[in-house]
Short mmCIF file of all heavy atoms in Angstrom, two decimals:
data_model
loop_
_atom_site.label_atom_id
_atom_site.label_comp_id
_atom_site.label_asym_id
_atom_site.label_seq_id
_atom_site.Cartn_x
_atom_site.Cartn_y
_atom_site.Cartn_z
N ALA A 27 -26.92 55.06 -35.02
CA ALA A 27 -25.73 54.68 -34.26
C ALA A 27 -25.73 55.27 -32.85
O ALA A 27 -25.33 54.62 -31.91
CB ALA A 27 -24.48 55.14 -35.03
N GLU A 28 -26.23 56.50 -32.70
CA GLU A 28 -26.29 57.08 -31.34
C GLU A 28 -27.15 56.24 -30.38
O GLU A 28 -26.88 56.18 -29.20
CB GLU A 28 -26.86 58.49 -31.45
CG GLU A 28 -25.89 59.49 -32.03
CD GLU A 28 -24.75 59.86 -31.04
OE1 GLU A 28 -24.86 59.50 -29.84
OE2 GLU A 28 -23.74 60.41 -31.50
N GLY A 29 -28.18 55.59 -30.98
CA GLY A 29 -29.02 54.73 -30.13
C GLY A 29 -28.27 53.54 -29.54
O GLY A 29 -28.73 52.96 -28.53
N LEU A 30 -27.16 53.17 -30.10
CA LEU A 30 -26.36 52.08 -29.51
C LEU A 30 -25.97 52.39 -28.10
O LEU A 30 -25.93 51.48 -27.24
CB LEU A 30 -25.11 51.83 -30.36
CG LEU A 30 -25.31 51.15 -31.73
CD1 LEU A 30 -23.97 51.17 -32.51
CD2 LEU A 30 -25.84 49.74 -31.58
N LEU A 31 -25.59 53.62 -27.85
CA LEU A 31 -25.07 53.94 -26.54
C LEU A 31 -26.16 53.79 -25.48
O LEU A 31 -25.93 53.38 -24.37
CB LEU A 31 -24.49 55.36 -26.54
CG LEU A 31 -23.39 55.60 -27.55
CD1 LEU A 31 -22.83 57.00 -27.42
CD2 LEU A 31 -22.27 54.57 -27.42
N LYS A 32 -27.39 54.21 -25.81
CA LYS A 32 -28.52 54.01 -24.85
C LYS A 32 -28.87 52.57 -24.71
O LYS A 32 -29.19 52.09 -23.59
CB LYS A 32 -29.75 54.83 -25.34
CG LYS A 32 -30.93 54.67 -24.44
CD LYS A 32 -32.05 55.60 -24.83
CE LYS A 32 -33.28 55.40 -23.90
NZ LYS A 32 -32.96 55.58 -22.51
N PHE A 33 -28.74 51.78 -25.79
CA PHE A 33 -29.10 50.39 -25.74
C PHE A 33 -28.19 49.56 -24.82
O PHE A 33 -28.55 48.46 -24.42
CB PHE A 33 -29.09 49.80 -27.16
CG PHE A 33 -29.97 48.57 -27.36
CD1 PHE A 33 -31.27 48.73 -27.62
CD2 PHE A 33 -29.43 47.29 -27.23
CE1 PHE A 33 -32.13 47.63 -27.75
CE2 PHE A 33 -30.24 46.20 -27.38
CZ PHE A 33 -31.60 46.35 -27.65
N ARG A 34 -27.05 50.14 -24.46
CA ARG A 34 -26.16 49.43 -23.56
C ARG A 34 -26.84 49.10 -22.23
O ARG A 34 -26.38 48.20 -21.47
CB ARG A 34 -24.89 50.27 -23.33
CG ARG A 34 -23.98 50.36 -24.53
CD ARG A 34 -22.76 51.20 -24.25
NE ARG A 34 -23.09 52.58 -23.94
CZ ARG A 34 -22.19 53.54 -23.79
NH1 ARG A 34 -20.89 53.23 -23.88
NH2 ARG A 34 -22.56 54.79 -23.52
N GLU A 35 -27.95 49.84 -21.89
CA GLU A 35 -28.67 49.58 -20.65
C GLU A 35 -29.17 48.10 -20.58
O GLU A 35 -29.35 47.56 -19.48
CB GLU A 35 -29.84 50.50 -20.53
CG GLU A 35 -29.45 52.01 -20.45
CD GLU A 35 -30.62 52.94 -20.56
OE1 GLU A 35 -31.77 52.42 -20.71
OE2 GLU A 35 -30.45 54.14 -20.42
N ARG A 36 -29.42 47.53 -21.76
CA ARG A 36 -29.89 46.12 -21.76
C ARG A 36 -28.77 45.11 -21.67
O ARG A 36 -29.04 43.91 -21.73
CB ARG A 36 -30.73 45.90 -23.07
CG ARG A 36 -32.04 46.66 -23.09
CD ARG A 36 -32.82 46.31 -24.34
NE ARG A 36 -34.03 47.11 -24.48
CZ ARG A 36 -35.28 46.65 -24.28
NH1 ARG A 36 -35.46 45.39 -23.95
NH2 ARG A 36 -36.32 47.45 -24.43
N PHE A 37 -27.56 45.57 -21.58
CA PHE A 37 -26.42 44.66 -21.50
C PHE A 37 -25.66 44.91 -20.17
O PHE A 37 -24.54 45.34 -20.12
CB PHE A 37 -25.47 44.85 -22.66
CG PHE A 37 -26.07 44.46 -24.00
CD1 PHE A 37 -26.34 45.43 -24.94
CD2 PHE A 37 -26.36 43.14 -24.25
CE1 PHE A 37 -26.84 45.05 -26.18
CE2 PHE A 37 -26.90 42.75 -25.48
CZ PHE A 37 -27.16 43.72 -26.45
N ASN A 38 -26.37 44.58 -19.10
CA ASN A 38 -25.76 44.64 -17.74
C ASN A 38 -25.07 43.30 -17.47
O ASN A 38 -25.73 42.30 -17.33
CB ASN A 38 -26.81 44.93 -16.69
CG ASN A 38 -26.27 44.91 -15.29
OD1 ASN A 38 -25.04 44.79 -15.06
ND2 ASN A 38 -27.12 45.06 -14.29
N PRO A 39 -23.76 43.27 -17.41
CA PRO A 39 -23.05 42.00 -17.20
C PRO A 39 -23.32 41.38 -15.85
O PRO A 39 -23.08 40.20 -15.68
CB PRO A 39 -21.55 42.39 -17.35
CG PRO A 39 -21.50 43.82 -17.01
CD PRO A 39 -22.77 44.42 -17.51
N ARG A 40 -23.76 42.16 -14.92
CA ARG A 40 -23.99 41.63 -13.55
C ARG A 40 -25.47 41.20 -13.32
O ARG A 40 -25.82 40.81 -12.23
CB ARG A 40 -23.64 42.71 -12.51
CG ARG A 40 -22.18 43.16 -12.59
CD ARG A 40 -21.21 41.99 -12.48
NE ARG A 40 -19.84 42.37 -12.67
CZ ARG A 40 -18.85 41.53 -12.93
NH1 ARG A 40 -19.13 40.23 -13.03
NH2 ARG A 40 -17.62 41.95 -13.09
N ASP A 41 -26.29 41.28 -14.32
CA ASP A 41 -27.68 40.83 -14.19
C ASP A 41 -27.66 39.33 -13.90
O ASP A 41 -27.10 38.52 -14.66
CB ASP A 41 -28.42 41.09 -15.52
CG ASP A 41 -29.93 40.96 -15.35
OD1 ASP A 41 -30.36 39.91 -14.82
OD2 ASP A 41 -30.67 41.87 -15.77
N LEU A 42 -28.32 38.97 -12.81
CA LEU A 42 -28.30 37.58 -12.36
C LEU A 42 -28.97 36.64 -13.37
O LEU A 42 -28.69 35.43 -13.38
CB LEU A 42 -29.01 37.44 -11.01
CG LEU A 42 -28.30 38.14 -9.84
CD1 LEU A 42 -29.14 37.96 -8.57
CD2 LEU A 42 -26.87 37.66 -9.66
N ARG A 43 -29.80 37.18 -14.26
CA ARG A 43 -30.47 36.32 -15.24
C ARG A 43 -29.53 35.85 -16.33
O ARG A 43 -29.93 35.02 -17.13
CB ARG A 43 -31.65 37.11 -15.84
CG ARG A 43 -32.78 37.36 -14.86
CD ARG A 43 -33.81 38.34 -15.42
NE ARG A 43 -33.28 39.71 -15.48
CZ ARG A 43 -34.00 40.76 -15.87
NH1 ARG A 43 -35.26 40.58 -16.27
NH2 ARG A 43 -33.51 41.98 -15.87
N ARG A 44 -28.34 36.32 -16.37
CA ARG A 44 -27.41 35.89 -17.41
C ARG A 44 -26.90 34.43 -17.11
O ARG A 44 -26.39 33.79 -18.02
CB ARG A 44 -26.22 36.83 -17.52
CG ARG A 44 -26.72 38.21 -17.90
CD ARG A 44 -25.72 39.05 -18.69
NE ARG A 44 -26.37 40.25 -19.16
CZ ARG A 44 -27.04 40.31 -20.26
NH1 ARG A 44 -27.19 39.28 -21.07
NH2 ARG A 44 -27.60 41.46 -20.63
N TYR A 45 -27.04 33.96 -15.90
CA TYR A 45 -26.67 32.59 -15.59
C TYR A 45 -27.92 31.79 -15.26
O TYR A 45 -28.88 32.33 -14.75
CB TYR A 45 -25.71 32.59 -14.38
CG TYR A 45 -24.27 32.97 -14.78
CD1 TYR A 45 -23.95 34.28 -15.11
CD2 TYR A 45 -23.27 32.01 -14.75
CE1 TYR A 45 -22.69 34.60 -15.46
CE2 TYR A 45 -21.97 32.32 -15.09
CZ TYR A 45 -21.69 33.67 -15.48
OH TYR A 45 -20.40 33.99 -15.82
N PRO A 46 -27.91 30.50 -15.58
CA PRO A 46 -29.13 29.68 -15.37
C PRO A 46 -29.40 29.43 -13.87
O PRO A 46 -28.48 29.55 -13.04
CB PRO A 46 -28.83 28.40 -16.09
CG PRO A 46 -27.33 28.28 -16.01
CD PRO A 46 -26.82 29.70 -16.13
N LEU A 47 -30.63 29.05 -13.57
CA LEU A 47 -30.96 28.69 -12.20
C LEU A 47 -30.17 27.52 -11.68
O LEU A 47 -30.02 27.32 -10.49
CB LEU A 47 -32.47 28.38 -12.08
CG LEU A 47 -33.41 29.59 -12.36
CD1 LEU A 47 -34.87 29.11 -12.34
CD2 LEU A 47 -33.20 30.69 -11.33
N THR A 48 -29.66 26.71 -12.60
CA THR A 48 -28.88 25.53 -12.22
C THR A 48 -27.43 25.82 -11.97
O THR A 48 -26.66 24.91 -11.61
CB THR A 48 -28.97 24.45 -13.33
OG1 THR A 48 -28.57 25.07 -14.59
CG2 THR A 48 -30.34 23.90 -13.43
N TRP A 49 -27.00 27.12 -12.13
CA TRP A 49 -25.61 27.41 -11.90
C TRP A 49 -25.27 27.23 -10.43
O TRP A 49 -25.83 27.82 -9.58
CB TRP A 49 -25.27 28.87 -12.34
CG TRP A 49 -23.82 29.12 -12.42
CD1 TRP A 49 -23.03 29.74 -11.51
CD2 TRP A 49 -22.93 28.63 -13.43
NE1 TRP A 49 -21.74 29.75 -11.85
CE2 TRP A 49 -21.63 29.09 -13.04
CE3 TRP A 49 -23.07 27.93 -14.57
CZ2 TRP A 49 -20.51 28.81 -13.84
CZ3 TRP A 49 -21.97 27.67 -15.35
CH2 TRP A 49 -20.70 28.08 -15.01
N SER A 50 -24.34 26.34 -10.18
CA SER A 50 -24.07 25.94 -8.79
C SER A 50 -22.74 25.15 -8.79
O SER A 50 -22.22 24.78 -9.80
CB SER A 50 -25.17 24.98 -8.31
OG SER A 50 -25.20 23.80 -9.16
N PRO A 51 -22.18 24.87 -7.60
CA PRO A 51 -21.00 24.05 -7.51
C PRO A 51 -21.23 22.69 -8.19
O PRO A 51 -20.29 22.13 -8.81
CB PRO A 51 -20.77 23.87 -6.02
CG PRO A 51 -21.32 25.14 -5.44
CD PRO A 51 -22.58 25.44 -6.27
N GLU A 52 -22.44 22.15 -8.13
CA GLU A 52 -22.73 20.87 -8.79
C GLU A 52 -22.55 20.96 -10.32
O GLU A 52 -21.95 20.09 -10.95
CB GLU A 52 -24.14 20.42 -8.43
CG GLU A 52 -24.51 19.09 -9.06
CD GLU A 52 -25.95 18.71 -8.73
OE1 GLU A 52 -26.66 19.48 -8.05
OE2 GLU A 52 -26.38 17.59 -9.15
N LEU A 53 -23.12 22.01 -10.89
CA LEU A 53 -22.98 22.18 -12.36
C LEU A 53 -21.55 22.48 -12.77
O LEU A 53 -21.06 21.99 -13.75
CB LEU A 53 -23.89 23.33 -12.84
CG LEU A 53 -23.95 23.53 -14.34
CD1 LEU A 53 -24.46 22.28 -15.09
CD2 LEU A 53 -24.83 24.70 -14.70
N ILE A 54 -20.86 23.33 -11.97
CA ILE A 54 -19.45 23.61 -12.25
C ILE A 54 -18.66 22.30 -12.23
O ILE A 54 -17.79 22.10 -13.14
CB ILE A 54 -18.90 24.61 -11.22
CG1 ILE A 54 -19.55 25.99 -11.47
CG2 ILE A 54 -17.39 24.71 -11.26
CD1 ILE A 54 -19.30 26.96 -10.32
N GLU A 55 -18.88 21.44 -11.26
CA GLU A 55 -18.15 20.22 -11.23
C GLU A 55 -18.47 19.31 -12.43
O GLU A 55 -17.55 18.63 -12.93
CB GLU A 55 -18.48 19.45 -9.94
CG GLU A 55 -17.76 18.11 -9.73
CD GLU A 55 -16.28 18.29 -9.64
OE1 GLU A 55 -15.77 19.39 -9.36
OE2 GLU A 55 -15.55 17.26 -9.76
N TYR A 56 -19.71 19.33 -12.90
CA TYR A 56 -20.03 18.60 -14.10
C TYR A 56 -19.18 19.05 -15.27
O TYR A 56 -18.59 18.23 -16.00
CB TYR A 56 -21.52 18.77 -14.44
CG TYR A 56 -21.83 18.24 -15.83
CD1 TYR A 56 -22.04 16.91 -16.06
CD2 TYR A 56 -21.91 19.10 -16.92
CE1 TYR A 56 -22.34 16.38 -17.29
CE2 TYR A 56 -22.14 18.62 -18.22
CZ TYR A 56 -22.37 17.24 -18.41
OH TYR A 56 -22.58 16.75 -19.65
#
């Protein structure tokens, strides 16, 4: 369980890879 706290490093909400390359005003409008 203690390892969970260290594993949080892999869950960065601001990592740009969390959104696809197609994320754009065009996709939002779709």
Side-chain angles (χ1 to χ4, degrees):
E28 285 289 345
L30 287 173
L31 302 183
K32 180 173 177 56
F33 204 84
R34 290 180 297 185
E35 297 171 357
R36 291 181 184 253
F37 293 113
N38 176 4
R40 301 305 175 195
D41 194 309
L42 296 178
R43 291 170 288 183
R44 300 209 171 275
Y45 282 70
L47 294 176
T48 52
W49 192 258
S50 63
E52 181 182 2
L53 184 60
I54 290 168
E55 181 63 16
Y56 168 81

